[in-house]
Amino acid sequence: MAKNDRRRLAEVSGLASDRALLGRASTAERVADILRDRITEGFFPPGARLSEESIGGALGVSRNTLREAFRLLTHERLLEHRLNRGVFVRVVTVEDLDDIFRVRMIVESAALRGLGQGPYAPEAGEGIEAIDAAVQAGEEAAAARAWADLSTANLRFHQAIVALVGSPRTDELMRGVLAELRLVFHVMDDPQRFYAPYLVRNRQIADTLLAGDAAAAERLLLAYLEDSRGQLSGAYAQRIKEG
């Protein structure tokens, strides 16, 4: 056997010891997906301690798998490990909140700027229809006074804006940013106050895009995000101060 062939065989053989990690990693990712949804829905509120024993027992997974899921969510800034105390849902700081909005302004405005001037390609047109559908869902939720559904519709509106880029990596970035933002809203616990006033502005942005004027929609969006940041940051800082 040639020297290069022997080296390749040795490299592949070394992967055999990693085989067990495949199933565990896949399970850990699925557990992380479940916990991420529960956290963003408020089932585990900011500051809550996550019990390995109770969660592992409920999901029927090993402690190692659960710890790997915790590690993934810690990397996403949804959880934090406190020495000798355990794993907790993060409480977002005011500085975190301001940074979240900085990222949103960069990413969301770039998504609209990338459209250029209409008429748009079919793919972009479908993306704009998704934005409009999210606004419609928000309007229906507001009419029904279903404020939690309005919150979800609003986040889908912003996710749909970023989806215009057509980049899975950007979509993943936005998913993490909005998941962190939801931690803030769980502390505020008043979705009507912080979402309902912006529904009209969502509609204005969607209609402007439907009319083919992405530049105007970007200006509206930047003003929207700056107003939202100012309102939410001030109220959140006060809430954190009050404990």
Side-chain angles (χ1 to χ4, degrees), residues 201-218:
R201 299 174 80 163
N202 288 356
R203 167 51 64 199
Q204 188 178 13
I205 291 169
D207 287 347
T208 303
L209 285 172
L210 288 168
D213 194 348
E218 182 188 358

Side-chain angles (χ1 to χ4, degrees), residues 70-149:
F70 284 171
R71 188 192 66 79
L72 293 171
L73 295 176
T74 298
H75 181 70
E76 295 178 20
R77 303 175 63 84
L78 294 180
L79 299 179
E80 61 180 355
H81 181 267
R82 301 178 188 172
L83 188 62
N84 298 324
R85 295 185 61 194
V87 176
F88 294 78
V89 179
R90 282 189 67 237
V91 177
V92 175
T93 67
V94 176
E95 292 75 18
D96 288 330
L97 178 58
D98 288 338
D99 193 43
I100 286 169
F101 272 91
R102 277 194 291 271
V103 172
R104 292 183 65 192
M105 293 177 79
I106 292 170
V107 175
E108 293 187 51
S109 63
L112 295 185
R113 194 179 314 125
L115 285 177
Q117 205 65 17
Y120 304 119
E123 296 81 4
E126 292 175 4
I128 293 171
E129 289 176 3
I131 292 171
D132 184 61
V135 177
Q136 290 182 39
E139 291 167 341
E140 292 169 2
R145 303 183 67 81
W147 306 120
D149 291 342

Side-chain angles (χ1 to χ4, degrees), residues 151-167:
S151 167
T152 298
N154 185 69
L155 294 184
R156 287 177 179 168
F157 168 77
H158 291 284
Q159 287 174 316
I161 287 176
V162 173
L164 292 171
V165 176
S167 164

Side-chain angles (χ1 to χ4, degrees), residues 7 15-16 19-20 28 44 53 58 61 65 91 110-111 138 148-149 166 182 190 197-198 204 228 231:
R7 187 181 70 247
L15 293 176
R19 184 180 303 169
F44 297 115
E53 183 177 356
V61 297
T65 295
V91 177
D149 291 342
R182 275 206 153 179
D190 191 358
Y198 292 94
Q204 188 178 13
S228 179
Q231 180 199 24

Side-chain angles (χ1 to χ4, degrees), residues 37 41 80 114 140 161 174 180 241:
D37 289 342
E41 291 165 3
E80 61 180 355
E140 292 169 2
I161 287 176
M174 193 62 174
E180 276 194 87
K241 183 178 178 181

Side-chain angles (χ1 to χ4, degrees), residues 41-55:
E41 291 165 3
F43 186 85
F44 297 115
R49 181 179 179 277
L50 302 189
S51 167
E52 288 186 3
E53 183 177 356
S54 60
I55 294 175

